[in-house]
Amino acid sequence: MDKPRIVAISQARMTSTRLPGKVLMPAAGRPLLAHHLDRLSRAPGLDAVVLATTVNAADDPVAECAESLGVAVFRGDEQDVLGRFAGAAALAGADLVVRVTADCPLIDPALVGRLIAAFRDDPSLDYLSIDSTRYPRGLDAEILPRRLLDEAAAKAADPAEREHVTPYIYRRPERFRLGTALVPAEPVEPPDQRWCVDEPADYELVRRLLEALLPSNPAFGWQDCCKLLRDHPDWMDINRAVRQKTLH
């Protein structure tokens, strides 16, 4: 069998409800989206990265940021995120799709590479993810075959399944073979970390991490973030009160 074409698709828009414009907020001299896409593009095993955004004029700067980095852009309906992912996968000619979100500027290329390798090691799998309850939140990624993404886009009717892309798959374990989510080899210290950007406090923490780590270690990984937080335990309090948005 020919090697599958593996494409990472990230979603981004300017009209986030809790922190509008967050993906283009600056850190270490660049928009958060640029950090995210640069890091994602370094994941071993990827053939391409595509940004899925909306047709809204407000998202023109999002598309321009991605295009300036050489990242292809697919634009679709704001409410139908699943449809946008399916369109982006078709645009890129993907066989396997890695799904991430652009509010994760600290996404770890090596961890995404581990997810890809684990999925390819078991051809019977339909879906595999990184366990965001065991890793710091903000390293999240999922992988599935494009054919199942297309099926979900054609059949999903529940609004939550269209907004969150993959519930059509993982809500149906009787139909699809779900792999055991990837977990760290050892407990993460400090625990209960949150590196996705949903509120101003999240942005403040992520900005500090980027600006502290990038000058001396541009290829830093998630463990480097943990070490920095062990050195600055008070930083953990910056966004401790933020609560994760749950599935509708």
Side-chain angles (χ1 to χ4, degrees):
M1 179 181 173
D2 293 338
K3 178 186 179 297
R5 180 167 168 79
I6 305 172
V7 177
I9 302 173
S10 184
Q11 67 193 69
R13 62 188 175 102
M14 291 294 283
T15 52
S16 163
T17 53
R18 290 194 279 179
L19 189 58
K22 63 185 181 181
V23 294
L24 295 185
M25 295 174 78
R30 305 182 76 195
L32 293 180
L33 179 60
H35 293 294
H36 167 80
L37 292 173
D38 270 356
R39 293 177 64 78
L40 180 61
S41 67
R42 297 200 299 268
L46 278 184
D47 294 301
V49 174
V50 180
L51 183 73
T53 191
T54 83
V55 295
N56 300 347
D59 288 319
D60 289 352
V62 173
E64 289 163 8
C65 177
E67 289 166 347
S68 74
L69 297 168
V71 173
V73 176
F74 179 87
R75 303 186 72 164
D77 183 89
E78 179 176 14
Q79 304 305 320
D80 186 8
V81 187
L82 174 54
R84 271 192 270 148
F85 268 78
L91 173 72
D95 297 308
L96 298 179
V97 173
V98 177
R99 186 224 170 191
V100 298
T101 58
D103 55 5
C104 299
L106 303 178
I107 194 162
D108 189 289
L111 187 54
V112 174
R114 183 185 159 207
L115 177 73
I116 293 168
F119 188 82
R120 294 201 64 206
D121 282 347
D122 188 345
S124 69
L125 290 182
D126 290 320
Y127 172 88
L128 187 64
S129 66
I130 291 167
D131 190 336
S132 60
T133 68
R134 301 279 293 276
Y135 280 101
R137 185 169 287 278
L139 303 175
D140 319 31
E142 309 165 284
I143 186 169
L144 69 160
R146 176 182 157 197
R147 60 181 174 79
L148 295 186
L149 182 66
D150 289 342
E151 177 183 330
K155 295 183 177 179
D158 184 330
E161 292 183 351
R162 303 216 64 97
E163 178 184 357
H164 297 281
V165 182
T166 52
Y168 177 88
I169 308 297
Y170 64 69
R171 283 176 164 179
R172 293 167 172 81
E174 74 286 354
R175 282 197 55 201
F176 303 113
R177 184 145 190 270
L178 313 179
T180 302
L182 300 190
V183 299
E186 298 176 354
V188 175
E189 183 59 40
D192 303 322
Q193 298 180 55
R194 177 186 171 80
W195 301 342
C196 55
V197 178
D198 282 323
E199 297 194 5
D202 297 324
Y203 167 65
E204 175 61 21
L205 175 61
V206 167
R207 183 189 64 78
R208 288 194 192 191
L209 289 167
L210 284 166
E211 293 180 352
L213 288 166
L214 277 172
S216 60
N217 185 9
F220 71 86
W222 70 270
Q223 295 97 330
D224 298 303
C225 296
C226 290
K227 181 181 183 304
L228 186 60
L229 289 170
R230 290 194 295 272
D231 293 340
H232 298 273
D234 55 306
W235 289 11
M236 286 284 294
D237 293 328
I238 293 172
N239 68 342
R240 193 181 298 278
V242 178
R243 292 291 169 259
Q244 182 67 21
K245 190 176 177 181
T246 56
L247 203 67
H248 292 171

